[in-house]
Amino acid sequence: MTEIDVTYNEKEWQGVQASLEKQFGKKPDLQTITFLVGHRELGKNQVKFSKEQKQDLMHIGICTLLSKAGYYTYLADDEEGWPHFEYNRELPKLNAIDQDSLLKKMTIEYFKTI
């Protein structure tokens, strides 16, 4: 199995948080940032979402971020414009701490490209 580097630069992570805090007025945590990434990737100007849609947006955010590390592959948007991904079972499973670290690392990379 392939080894995944989950190390990230804490200063860069704090920079992402500070940038979003300026934009939204509150320092976001990792969950909030994955929601924002999902909302951005959905590409709709919709502001009200059901509880299920909010969970779906977080899933889109996580898949988008982890696709940069090879864990997910974008498949296509459905008829309503929601993106769908496929999980790559070839990569090792990560514990919760490593998942958070990898998400932070990929979030930093994501915000460098937008």
Side-chain angles (χ1 to χ4, degrees):
M1 277 205 181
T2 306
E3 191 69 26
I4 298 294
D5 178 15
V6 299
T7 56
Y8 67 95
N9 182 307
E10 182 64 30
K11 194 171 191 169
E12 288 182 309
W13 169 248
Q14 290 174 1
V16 168
Q17 287 181 302
S19 174
L20 292 171
E21 183 176 12
K22 273 186 194 171
Q23 192 173 351
F24 296 104
K26 185 176 178 187
K27 185 176 181 178
D29 61 9
L30 184 56
Q31 272 192 321
T32 302
I33 293 172
T34 57
F35 174 83
L36 292 170
V37 169
H39 189 269
R40 184 177 187 284
E41 292 299 312
L42 179 61
K44 296 183 180 194
N45 289 329
Q46 186 175 341
V47 288
K48 292 217 180 229
F49 294 97
S50 68
K51 183 177 180 179
E52 183 178 311
Q53 287 174 319
K54 287 177 184 176
Q55 290 172 330
D56 290 344
L57 286 171
M58 288 188 67
H59 179 72
I60 291 168
I62 289 168
C63 290
T64 297
L65 295 170
L66 293 182
S67 69
K68 296 181 178 308
Y71 275 89
Y72 287 90
T73 302
Y74 168 75
L75 297 175
D77 290 353
D78 65 20
E79 60 282 346
E80 294 175 4
W82 288 72
H84 290 267
F85 295 82
E86 180 177 72
Y87 179 66
N88 178 358
R89 299 192 188 289
E90 303 286 312
L91 293 173
K93 292 190 184 259
L94 300 172
N95 63 40
I97 293 169
D98 286 347
Q99 285 176 23
D100 280 0
S101 294
L102 183 58
L103 279 170
K104 288 177 180 178
K105 178 180 181 175
M106 295 299 103
T107 298
I108 292 164
E109 295 305 313
Y110 178 85
F111 280 97
K112 285 180 181 176
T113 63
I114 61 168

